[in-house]
Amino acid sequence: MLSPMRRITLFAHVGIVLMAWALPATSGEGMWTFDNPPRKQLLERYGFEVTQDWLDHLRCSSVRVGDGGSGSFVSPNGLLLTNHHVGRGQLQKLSTRDRDLVSLGFYARTTADELKCPDLELNVLVSMEEVTDQVLASVGPEMSAKEAMDARRRVIAEITKKATENNGLKSDVVSFYSGTEYWLYQYKKYTDVRLVMAPEGAIAFYGGDPDNFTFPRYDLDMCFFRAYENGIPAKTDQYLKWNTAGARCGDLVFVSGHPGSTNRLQSYIQTEYQRDVAYPARLKGVERQLSVLRKFAAQGPEQARQAAGSIFGLENSQKAMRGEYEGLNDKDLMAKKFQEDKDLHDRVLANPASKQAYAWAWDTIATVIERQKAQNRQSAMRFIRGRLYQMAFQLVQAADELAKPDGERQPPFQDANLAGMKFRLFSPAPVYPELEKVQIADGLAEALESDAKDDPFVKEALRGRSPEEAAKELVQGTTLGDAEVRKALFAGGEKAIADSKDPMIELARKALPLQNEFRSWNEKYVTAPTAKATEAFGKARFAVYGKSINPDATFTLRLSYGTVSGYPMNGTQAPAMTTLYGLYDRALGFDNKGAWALPKRFSEGVGKLTLSTPFNFVSTCDIIGGNSGSPVVNRAGEFVGLIFDGNIESLPGRFLYSEATNRAVAVHPGAIIECLRKLYDAGELADELEGVKARPTL
Amino acid sequence: MLSPMRRITLFAHVGIVLMAWALPATSGEGMWTFDNPPRKQLLERYGFEVTQDWLDHLRCSSVRVGDGGSGSFVSPNGLLLTNHHVGRGQLQKLSTRDRDLVSLGFYARTTADELKCPDLELNVLVSMEEVTDQVLASVGPEMSAKEAMDARRRVIAEITKKATENNGLKSDVVSFYSGTEYWLYQYKKYTDVRLVMAPEGAIAFYGGDPDNFTFPRYDLDMCFFRAYENGIPAKTDQYLKWNTAGARCGDLVFVSGHPGSTNRLQSYIQTEYQRDVAYPARLKGVERQLSVLRKFAAQGPEQARQAAGSIFGLENSQKAMRGEYEGLNDKDLMAKKFQEDKDLHDRVLANPASKQAYAWAWDTIATVIERQKAQNRQSAMRFIRGRLYQMAFQLVQAADELAKPDGERQPPFQDANLAGMKFRLFSPAPVYPELEKVQIADGLAEALESDAKDDPFVKEALRGRSPEEAAKELVQGTTLGDAEVRKALFAGGEKAIADSKDPMIELARKALPLQNEFRSWNEKYVTAPTAKATEAFGKARFAVYGKSINPDATFTLRLSYGTVSGYPMNGTQAPAMTTLYGLYDRALGFDNKGAWALPKRFSEGVGKLTLSTPFNFVSTCDIIGGNSGSPVVNRAGEFVGLIFDGNIESLPGRFLYSEATNRAVAVHPGAIIECLRKLYDAGELADELEGVKARPTL
């Protein structure tokens, strides 16, 4: 299952264009921007011609879901389909001690029964405009890396602010090819989103953590929401027509979604650093956090419910990271990365102009990495985990940043982004104090065991107390669990923050200058020079290969294409499809126990189902975390599948795509309709999907 | 699927016993001789007490099938159950151009319909007697390696001859722990064996070469024969009681069968030699042979039928060898092998007596391997493939050997073994001349491309002709395809052979002195010193660890034990069981095509089946090629499964067993009964198995 992803920071740009080489990307490879679909490959390999109408329709039916997922409109009445694991956060926030929607599932037979989500935002990319020249004009050749970064930040803030004022749309300036192109992306935004249907967690995530990121698979990982406008279901004229027959073996299919991030265009030594330093450290951290959460969950069913979301997310990250880390330890993969980097370097050195323009970047990266290895400076704030402190710091930072002119602020606090930030900060979703306590206590204990034990922030957080005492006093003393308190503090600005006696706010106030100092250091010695060098790599690569390669993923809308097909696995072939037959085979193979226990509805309902119905399937489409919930469409642009995962072999795809084994895993629409009609008694929803009739509105 | 195995040559023995260390074998590890079952482990881990009755009953119900398989009696009327792939050779020999029993299957509703097999021999181990002292007494300390080998050969021939004369039983002297123990094994032999039932090849070997050696699996790899005596079904009082409920997850189970060979007790550099020299060469050879056979099979359906058996066998060997080779290339496995060898070496060196007795063996092996690497001498006879030349050479060799006293002969020509050799040599099974031609032609072409192009045997085989011409004239000129001709030549002895104008015989006559010269060289410089050193390793290991370890496999009856349980696979868990549900899932996942196409009986009969019936299952039992067809039994000694394969992770088990992932794959008796009754209309056979009633006799 794919993990949600955050956007990466934007990087900058200068300009030289060399002769473009057409680098033949592996077939199936690529997360293409909608301005540059792989027309040639599709025509040559599949005889498929991409029309502008087809593209526009697909783009406007595709939806970015929350902070890290994808989805699509599947009816003209705002009906949105995404994954259960993308909707999971909302299901949890809508749950209570007595009614756990994550495990029980939910179905609203009429729109009146639909449940309003506390903090789910949907975005549809309705406009794309290139602004490379405007952004580039702001950066002078005499500027230092840090000055250039600040200048770009200012001009990007201006462009987005003006765009939003113009048409009211949510606006983002995004960069591609490591800062070689800049685009203004504008989104139609929905913030009134309601829950329509979710199956039981046990069938959505069938096979649990063990089966996660694997195939053959038997998951009904779906969740239906509905976008509302002005209190009634939104009119979504652009939606994907449903095709119950769905994808078939050998079909050409497309995925339209929001891949979070990839590191394919990194230089070799950056990838090596990931392997030798970054991944081992991150994996160790995740393991520690998981052990704390599991211990908490073991205390009882309510504790288990509270910790379930975090455990779920961390297990998912852990499995993904392990797969990526395995890729980094694969000799062949690293040899290919080395060769790719060397080829680019050789071409750059072969031409005096490009040598002068770009060759320094390899040295800069080497210097930065040496520095990182010698002095592994990190923010000590990472030791305080949980939602409460995160919100406290955001409030303190907001008061500070909002006092500055828009262009000087950190990006999340710029006017164009403020609405989204407030939407999440003011969410009425519950906070669990006991869970917060154990997380903070463990983080502080970890700090004491580490090199950071004398860090001023850590000393301030502890003030002589044991980690447990400090955590207890911080959590029991704060009132930030109440959304109204947060709203009031935010509204009160600098003065309210300065006067607050809330211990979390007090700690965050102490943290702010320390954190700012760390950020400056980090920008100067790591972020800015890396950005500048990465930008040079990007420009060099763009100069050499042009748009025949596709940019790294950035949680912006991308188009992937591929074939529905199996792959070599475990000494044999994995099939392209599974069926409902296989669900029962797998359940019985494990005595219907553990992660493979069927929900009662499925064990008792077997006789109602046509078991030959396709259930899950794989295609060569190139995806990654963030693509969860993406629609799979056919040549006619119809909905033929619901992406929910990549296979284990796809995880090294963060660094290198391999058509032989990289597979995207999707739910088949046949199984969705079969289960809705025969097991969930949800004929109304199935009718709406199949266009039989619209559902009754309020 | 497991490959049939030949017996290894016997090695010799000297004597020192050191203090025995109990080396705790990994749980589940071990192919134990029936005189030394792992009583302690079974009692401690499972609370199971092995009684002598339980052991004797299991041994006498277990059957060695032909040259490389296993099986068991499953009714009191001689009914034998083994694998389809073990019976496959007989099915092929019973087939005609118009009736391919391998793919169509077969069912004899009454014993009158049962088909007599051309050359299938069954052996039941009815007596075991240790003869170590007798064998050891024949070898003097002053003897060279070669003299010792000859002396042992003589005394073994005497023991077996006398034993056979005594009670008429087939007799073998076998060695264990690399020549540390010698046992006289006596077998009851059945040579009138008839075919009762075989399913379609497509369901017996469902998933074909791709799924071979993998799990999850969906194969009905079974074949029923019946042993006859004096023209009527044999009375087999010792047979396994059938248990249709079969094995369940977590059960303690046992496998009783004939593992062919393992190389676990080899020294480290021998294993290294396998990795660096032997396996690459063997894999290359198999690839070449396969490509010739596939080309032949592509000419038409009859050619495909003729080549099918050889292709099937070679693909199976290839996949097994690849898996073993992967094991050899696994760093962890080799590190463990290194450590094991080093531990033994260290212990040997730590004691002056053992140092003097055994330390030289490591040096000897190093010398032999250096010599093998420097001068890779092999017999050029390997270049002539196919059955005709093999039979010609056997006839020529027989005439020569039978003129010698029994004790001086090569083991296959000793009196005790003669009956078996004649049984196979005089088989009425058809020979396919066109297939023989392409195999011989390709072998000779390969010889011309190799270092052996000037070898006298190769020159004699070609006599200036092209490989194609030579092959054509050899095959067209010979009459050895006729079993009666072979019988007459054999009966005619040295004179008949000397007078023969048959071109195959002429070539074999020329080959005999060359082959004898090669064998002498090889015995002197490779086989005998290796045997002597290996024997020293065996004795050293036995001295250090005693019978707490189990000897390498030698196609003698062994007992394995283990638990029915899944294992980590492909990023998740493989289940312990599959069901009939899964067969349909897998078929549909591949569009019911290729290796996954269902026989009509199964695609049309789905509605008749209880799909939750267990189909295949895995256990930690330690098995290897030769175990095919072995019964799986429960604590009560009842039949609860039919071994037919190991998983891909078990292949490195030739060198090292791993309980974590090493699994034996079996057909569940539930599926056997379900399919016999509901799809094959074979209620009579199912009744006989379940003991409902005996089937009508002739």
Side-chain angles (χ1 to χ4, degrees):
Chain A
M1 195 198 49
L2 304 166
S3 56
M5 283 290 158
R6 269 157 300 150
R7 266 173 288 178
I8 64 164
T9 324
L10 306 184
F11 290 146
H13 189 276
V14 262
I16 271 197
V17 173
L18 291 180
M19 185 182 61
W21 292 68
L23 181 76
T26 313
S27 285
E29 177 171 349
M31 302 163 179
W32 301 87
T33 50
F34 271 67
D35 68 289
N36 181 38
R39 295 181 194 278
K40 194 162 168 280
Q41 291 95 311
L42 287 168
L43 197 61
E44 285 175 1
R45 184 164 176 190
Y46 296 98
F48 179 74
E49 199 177 338
V50 180
T51 67
Q52 198 55 45
D53 281 355
W54 186 92
L55 264 186
D56 291 345
H57 174 66
L58 181 56
R59 172 170 52 81
C60 294
S61 307
S62 302
V63 181
R64 191 161 75 176
V65 181
D67 271 349
S70 300
S72 61
F73 286 126
V74 286
S75 97
N77 298 309
L79 187 66
L80 174 95
L81 176 53
T82 183
N83 294 141
H84 186 277
H85 78 269
V86 171
R88 190 180 170 109
Q90 299 302 317
L91 293 171
Q92 194 171 23
K93 289 169 185 171
L94 288 167
S95 295
T96 60
R97 184 184 280 264
D98 305 317
R99 188 197 193 202
D100 180 1
L101 297 185
V102 175
S103 49
L104 296 174
F106 176 81
Y107 177 50
R109 195 166 300 280
T110 70
T111 49
D113 303 322
E114 293 172 2
L115 298 180
K116 186 161 177 168
C117 297
D119 52 10
L120 183 60
E121 181 178 312
L122 307 180
N123 291 301
V124 178
L125 179 61
V126 292
S127 155
M128 305 160 69
E129 183 193 338
E130 186 166 7
V131 294
T132 310
D133 291 345
Q134 270 175 273
V135 175
L136 293 189
S138 72
V139 178
E142 75 295 345
M143 291 181 178
S144 73
K146 174 84 169 79
E147 288 165 345
M149 186 184 258
D150 290 339
R152 278 194 306 270
R153 191 177 285 163
R154 271 192 303 275
V155 70
I156 286 172
E158 274 165 36
I159 295 171
T160 49
K161 190 170 183 178
K162 206 189 290 176
T164 304
E165 283 166 3
N166 256 356
N167 57 15
L169 293 170
K170 171 171 173 156
S171 306
D172 261 348
V173 170
V174 288
S175 91
F176 299 111
Y177 306 99
S178 315
T180 306
E181 279 190 359
Y182 287 86
W183 288 74
L184 170 64
Y185 273 28
Q186 291 198 286
Y187 297 93
K188 178 160 175 53
K189 179 171 84 175
Y190 299 90
T191 51
D192 182 355
V193 182
R194 307 194 189 171
L195 176 63
V196 178
M197 191 272 167
E200 297 88 339
I203 191 68
F205 192 49
Y206 186 75
D209 185 51
D211 280 5
N212 193 11
F213 288 115
T214 71
F215 190 78
R217 199 69 166 281
Y218 310 92
D219 285 12
L220 194 62
D221 193 354
M222 65 178 187
C223 194
F224 291 92
F225 291 99
R226 192 183 301 280
Y228 278 68
E229 278 189 309
N230 308 316
I232 58 166
K235 288 290 148 215
T236 44
D237 297 337
Q238 301 266 31
Y239 71 95
L240 298 178
K241 193 171 167 244
W242 188 267
N243 182 327
T244 304
R248 299 175 56 118
C249 294
D251 280 1
L252 166 66
V253 290
F254 304 86
V255 171
S256 168
H258 301 80
S261 76
T262 51
N263 305 101
R264 295 185 190 166
L265 305 184
Q266 260 178 356
S267 68
Y268 178 74
I269 60 162
Q270 288 175 294
T271 312
E272 231 180 19
Y273 180 78
Q274 297 281 322
R275 180 190 67 193
D276 298 337
V277 182
Y279 271 77
R282 287 169 62 199
L283 279 165
K284 209 177 135 196
V286 166
E287 207 149 310
R288 178 165 188 137
Q289 288 180 55
L290 266 174
S291 88
V292 170
L293 290 167
R294 287 190 183 127
K295 219 170 119 187
F296 179 79
Q299 291 174 23
E302 175 56 16
Q303 286 90 340
R305 187 186 74 81
Q306 291 178 8
S310 304
I311 290 175
F312 180 87
L314 281 170
E315 282 183 341
N316 192 45
S317 299
Q318 186 184 44
K319 201 160 182 187
M321 275 196 278
R322 281 180 178 163
E324 291 164 5
Y325 186 54
E326 249 177 57
L328 290 172
N329 282 288
D330 181 274
K331 271 189 208 156
D332 291 349
L333 184 144
M334 289 303 274
K336 274 186 208 155
K337 291 297 296 179
F338 180 83
Q339 198 52 47
E340 272 184 19
D341 190 43
K342 188 173 174 302
D343 284 350
L344 182 66
H345 200 183
D346 288 351
R347 286 188 204 275
V348 162
L349 295 180
N351 172 312
S354 62
K355 184 174 171 186
Q356 205 195 338
Y358 310 126
W360 57 268
W362 275 268
D363 303 327
T364 297
I365 288 293
T367 308
V368 169
I369 285 181
E370 263 168 52
R371 185 180 298 122
Q372 281 182 296
K373 281 182 177 171
Q375 185 189 1
N376 188 20
R377 214 183 145 183
Q378 285 181 281
S379 162
M381 259 192 20
R382 73 184 190 284
F383 290 113
I384 297 210
R385 297 188 277 263
R387 283 180 64 205
L388 285 169
Y389 179 75
Q390 195 193 356
M391 295 190 292
F393 189 76
Q394 222 168 9
L395 286 165
V396 170
Q397 211 182 5
D400 186 57
E401 292 284 326
L402 292 175
K404 301 178 193 168
D406 193 39
E408 316 267 297
R409 298 177 202 156
Q410 296 293 313
F413 301 96
Q414 289 170 356
D415 288 345
N417 301 326
L418 218 48
M421 201 215 73
K422 283 157 72 178
F423 184 64
R424 288 184 291 276
L425 182 58
F426 300 158
S427 164
V431 174
Y432 306 114
E434 294 307 315
L435 181 57
E436 296 277 320
K437 272 187 218 168
V438 296
Q439 289 180 287
I440 294 174
D442 179 70
L444 290 172
E446 187 186 354
L448 287 181
E449 296 158 20
S450 78
D451 292 346
K453 63 176 180 298
D454 296 323
D455 181 278
F457 174 76
V458 173
K459 284 199 164 316
E460 185 55 43
L462 285 166
R463 282 198 276 114
R465 299 169 291 187
S466 73
E468 287 71 24
E469 285 166 357
K472 190 176 164 190
E473 290 178 23
L474 280 165
V475 174
Q476 290 186 344
T478 189
T479 55
L480 293 180
D482 182 344
E484 295 308 316
V485 172
R486 299 195 291 273
K487 277 184 199 163
L489 270 170
F490 186 88
E494 279 184 298
K495 179 158 176 13
I497 292 294
D499 293 347
S500 171
K501 299 271 180 245
D502 189 295
M504 287 279 186
I505 295 287
E506 283 178 338
L507 179 58
R509 272 200 317 252
K510 293 268 168 51
L512 187 65
L514 298 171
Q515 185 65 10
N516 283 342
E517 189 278 325
F518 168 74
R519 193 160 41 79
S520 294
W521 178 90
N522 201 45
E523 276 186 359
K524 185 167 172 196
Y525 293 111
V526 181
T527 327
T530 301
K532 200 172 162 186
T534 307
E535 178 193 310
F537 292 142
K539 286 159 51 60
R541 194 175 280 107
F542 197 80
V544 170
Y545 304 116
K547 283 184 107 169
S548 70
I549 55 165
N550 55 89
D552 259 325
T554 52
F555 201 46
T556 47
L557 189 66
R558 301 296 177 90
L559 180 71
S560 301
Y561 70 97
T563 308
V564 177
S565 77
Y567 58 98
M569 186 204 81
N570 183 41
T572 179
Q573 287 284 314
M577 299 251 171
T578 65
T579 64
L580 290 172
Y581 277 125
L583 172 66
Y584 293 94
D585 184 52
R586 195 147 175 85
L588 289 168
F590 289 97
D591 260 357
N592 198 23
K593 280 182 186 150
W596 299 276
L598 292 166
K600 223 173 179 186
R601 189 191 305 276
F602 280 78
S603 52
E604 291 176 357
V606 56
K608 300 180 196 165
L609 293 168
T610 299
L611 295 172
S612 56
T613 308
F615 195 175
N616 290 174
F617 67 97
V618 282
S619 66
T620 61
C621 293
D622 188 5
I623 61 159
I624 201 160
N627 266 117
S628 290
S630 298
V632 184
V633 303
N634 61 12
R635 289 167 186 252
E638 295 167 335
F639 182 96
V640 296
L642 170 64
I643 291 292
F644 72 98
D645 209 354
N647 62 352
I648 199 107
E649 294 87 346
S650 76
L651 293 172
R654 165 168 302 282
F655 305 102
L656 198 76
Y657 172 87
S658 151
E659 192 186 10
T661 57
N662 207 111
R663 291 294 180 277
V665 189
V667 186
H668 195 278
I672 295 177
I673 294 295
E674 181 74 6
C675 294
L676 284 179
R677 291 199 187 280
K678 305 213 181 139
L679 294 184
Y680 288 92
D681 187 21
E684 307 83 0
L685 180 55
D687 283 349
E688 183 176 355
L689 290 171
E690 292 192 307
V692 178
K693 58 179 177 192
R695 300 178 69 207
T697 48
L698 285 170
Chain B
M1 197 196 48
L2 305 167
S3 57
M5 286 288 159
R6 268 159 299 150
R7 266 173 289 177
I8 63 162
T9 324
L10 306 184
F11 290 146
H13 190 275
V14 261
I16 272 197
V17 173
L18 292 180
M19 183 182 62
W21 291 69
L23 182 76
T26 312
S27 283
E29 177 171 349
M31 302 164 179
W32 302 87
T33 49
F34 270 66
D35 68 288
N36 180 39
R39 296 182 194 275
K40 194 163 167 280
Q41 291 96 312
L42 287 168
L43 196 61
E44 284 175 2
R45 186 164 175 189
Y46 298 97
F48 179 74
E49 199 177 339
V50 181
T51 67
Q52 198 56 44
D53 281 354
W54 185 92
L55 263 186
D56 291 345
H57 174 66
L58 181 56
R59 170 170 55 79
C60 294
S61 307
S62 301
V63 181
R64 190 162 74 176
V65 181
D67 271 349
S70 300
S72 60
F73 287 124
V74 286
S75 96
N77 297 308
L79 187 65
L80 174 95
L81 176 53
T82 183
N83 294 141
H84 186 277
H85 79 269
V86 170
R88 192 179 169 110
Q90 299 302 318
L91 293 171
Q92 195 171 22
K93 289 169 185 170
L94 288 167
S95 295
T96 61
R97 183 183 281 264
D98 304 318
R99 188 197 193 202
D100 180 1
L101 297 186
V102 175
S103 49
L104 296 174
F106 175 81
Y107 178 50
R109 196 166 300 279
T110 69
T111 49
D113 303 323
E114 293 171 2
L115 298 180
K116 185 161 178 168
C117 297
D119 52 10
L120 183 59
E121 181 178 314
L122 308 180
N123 291 302
V124 178
L125 179 60
V126 292
S127 153
M128 304 160 70
E129 183 193 338
E130 186 166 6
V131 293
T132 309
D133 291 345
Q134 269 176 277
V135 175
L136 292 189
S138 73
V139 178
E142 74 298 344
M143 291 182 179
S144 74
K146 175 84 170 79
E147 287 165 347
M149 186 184 259
D150 290 340
R152 278 193 305 272
R153 190 176 286 162
R154 270 191 304 275
V155 71
I156 286 171
E158 275 165 37
I159 295 171
T160 50
K161 191 170 182 178
K162 205 189 291 176
T164 305
E165 284 167 3
N166 256 357
N167 57 15
L169 292 171
K170 172 172 172 157
S171 307
D172 260 349
V173 170
V174 289
S175 91
F176 299 111
Y177 306 98
S178 315
T180 305
E181 280 190 358
Y182 287 86
W183 288 73
L184 169 65
Y185 273 28
Q186 290 198 286
Y187 297 93
K188 175 158 176 57
K189 179 170 84 174
Y190 298 90
T191 51
D192 181 356
V193 182
R194 306 193 189 173
L195 176 63
V196 177
M197 192 273 168
E200 297 88 339
I203 191 68
F205 193 48
Y206 186 75
D209 185 52
D211 280 5
N212 193 12
F213 289 113
T214 71
F215 190 78
R217 198 69 166 283
Y218 310 91
D219 285 12
L220 195 62
D221 193 354
M222 65 178 188
C223 195
F224 291 93
F225 292 99
R226 193 183 301 281
Y228 278 69
E229 279 189 308
N230 308 316
I232 58 166
K235 288 290 151 216
T236 44
D237 297 337
Q238 300 266 32
Y239 71 96
L240 298 178
K241 192 171 169 243
W242 189 267
N243 182 327
T244 303
R248 299 176 56 118
C249 295
D251 279 1
L252 165 65
V253 290
F254 304 86
V255 171
S256 167
H258 302 81
S261 76
T262 49
N263 306 101
R264 295 186 190 165
L265 305 184
Q266 261 178 356
S267 68
Y268 178 73
I269 62 163
Q270 287 174 296
T271 311
E272 229 179 20
Y273 179 78
Q274 296 282 322
R275 180 190 68 194
D276 299 338
V277 182
Y279 271 77
R282 286 169 64 200
L283 280 164
K284 209 176 134 196
V286 165
E287 207 150 309
R288 178 166 187 137
Q289 289 180 54
L290 265 174
S291 88
V292 170
L293 291 167
R294 287 189 183 126
K295 218 170 121 187
F296 179 79
Q299 291 173 25
E302 175 56 16
Q303 285 89 343
R305 186 185 75 80
Q306 290 177 9
S310 304
I311 290 175
F312 180 87
L314 281 170
E315 281 183 342
N316 192 45
S317 299
Q318 187 184 45
K319 202 161 182 188
M321 275 196 278
R322 281 181 178 161
E324 291 164 5
Y325 187 53
E326 248 176 59
L328 290 172
N329 282 287
D330 180 274
K331 271 187 210 157
D332 291 348
L333 184 143
M334 288 303 273
K336 274 185 209 155
K337 291 297 297 180
F338 181 83
Q339 199 52 48
E340 272 184 18
D341 190 43
K342 189 172 174 303
D343 284 350
L344 182 65
H345 200 183
D346 288 350
R347 286 189 204 274
V348 162
L349 295 181
N351 171 314
S354 62
K355 185 175 172 185
Q356 205 196 338
Y358 310 126
W360 57 269
W362 276 266
D363 303 325
T364 297
I365 288 294
T367 308
V368 169
I369 284 181
E370 263 168 52
R371 185 182 296 124
Q372 279 181 300
K373 282 184 175 168
Q375 184 190 0
N376 187 18
R377 215 183 144 181
Q378 286 181 280
S379 162
M381 260 193 18
R382 74 184 188 282
F383 290 114
I384 296 209
R385 297 188 277 265
R387 284 180 63 205
L388 285 169
Y389 180 75
Q390 195 194 358
M391 295 191 293
F393 189 77
Q394 221 168 10
L395 285 165
V396 170
Q397 211 183 2
D400 187 55
E401 292 283 326
L402 293 176
K404 301 178 192 169
D406 192 40
E408 316 266 299
R409 297 177 203 158
Q410 296 294 313
F413 300 96
Q414 289 171 355
D415 288 343
N417 302 325
L418 218 49
M421 201 214 74
K422 283 159 72 178
F423 184 65
R424 289 184 291 276
L425 182 59
F426 300 158
S427 165
V431 174
Y432 306 114
E434 294 307 314
L435 181 56
E436 296 276 321
K437 272 187 215 167
V438 297
Q439 289 180 286
I440 294 173
D442 179 70
L444 290 172
E446 187 185 354
L448 288 181
E449 295 159 20
S450 79
D451 292 346
K453 64 176 180 297
D454 296 323
D455 179 279
F457 174 77
V458 174
K459 283 198 164 320
E460 186 54 44
L462 285 166
R463 283 197 279 111
R465 298 169 293 189
S466 73
E468 287 72 23
E469 284 165 357
K472 191 175 162 189
E473 290 178 23
L474 280 166
V475 174
Q476 290 186 343
T478 189
T479 55
L480 294 181
D482 182 345
E484 294 308 316
V485 171
R486 300 196 292 273
K487 278 183 198 164
L489 270 169
F490 186 88
E494 281 185 297
K495 180 161 176 8
I497 292 294
D499 292 347
S500 172
K501 299 271 180 244
D502 189 293
M504 287 280 185
I505 295 286
E506 283 177 338
L507 179 58
R509 273 199 319 252
K510 293 270 169 49
L512 187 63
L514 298 171
Q515 186 64 11
N516 283 342
E517 190 279 325
F518 167 76
R519 193 160 40 80
S520 293
W521 178 91
N522 201 47
E523 276 185 359
K524 185 167 173 198
Y525 292 110
V526 181
T527 326
T530 300
K532 198 173 164 189
T534 307
E535 177 194 311
F537 292 142
K539 286 159 52 57
R541 194 176 281 107
F542 196 80
V544 171
Y545 303 118
K547 282 185 110 170
S548 69
I549 57 166
N550 55 91
D552 261 325
T554 51
F555 200 46
T556 46
L557 188 67
R558 302 295 177 91
L559 179 71
S560 302
Y561 71 96
T563 308
V564 177
S565 79
Y567 58 98
M569 186 203 82
N570 184 39
T572 179
Q573 285 284 315
M577 298 251 170
T578 65
T579 64
L580 290 170
Y581 277 125
L583 172 66
Y584 293 93
D585 185 52
R586 194 147 175 87
L588 289 168
F590 289 98
D591 260 356
N592 198 21
K593 281 180 187 150
W596 299 276
L598 291 166
K600 225 174 177 182
R601 188 191 308 275
F602 280 78
S603 52
E604 291 176 357
V606 56
K608 299 180 198 167
L609 294 168
T610 299
L611 294 172
S612 56
T613 307
F615 194 176
N616 290 173
F617 68 97
V618 283
S619 66
T620 60
C621 294
D622 189 4
I623 61 158
I624 202 160
N627 267 117
S628 289
S630 297
V632 184
V633 302
N634 61 12
R635 290 168 186 251
E638 295 167 336
F639 182 95
V640 295
L642 170 64
I643 291 293
F644 72 98
D645 209 354
N647 62 351
I648 200 105
E649 294 86 347
S650 75
L651 292 172
R654 166 169 300 283
F655 305 102
L656 198 76
Y657 172 87
S658 151
E659 192 187 10
T661 57
N662 207 111
R663 291 296 180 276
V665 189
V667 186
H668 195 278
I672 293 176
I673 294 294
E674 181 74 7
C675 294
L676 284 178
R677 291 200 188 278
K678 304 213 182 139
L679 295 183
Y680 288 93
D681 186 20
E684 306 84 0
L685 181 54
D687 284 348
E688 184 176 355
L689 289 171
E690 293 192 307
V692 179
K693 58 180 176 192
R695 300 178 69 208
T697 49
L698 284 169

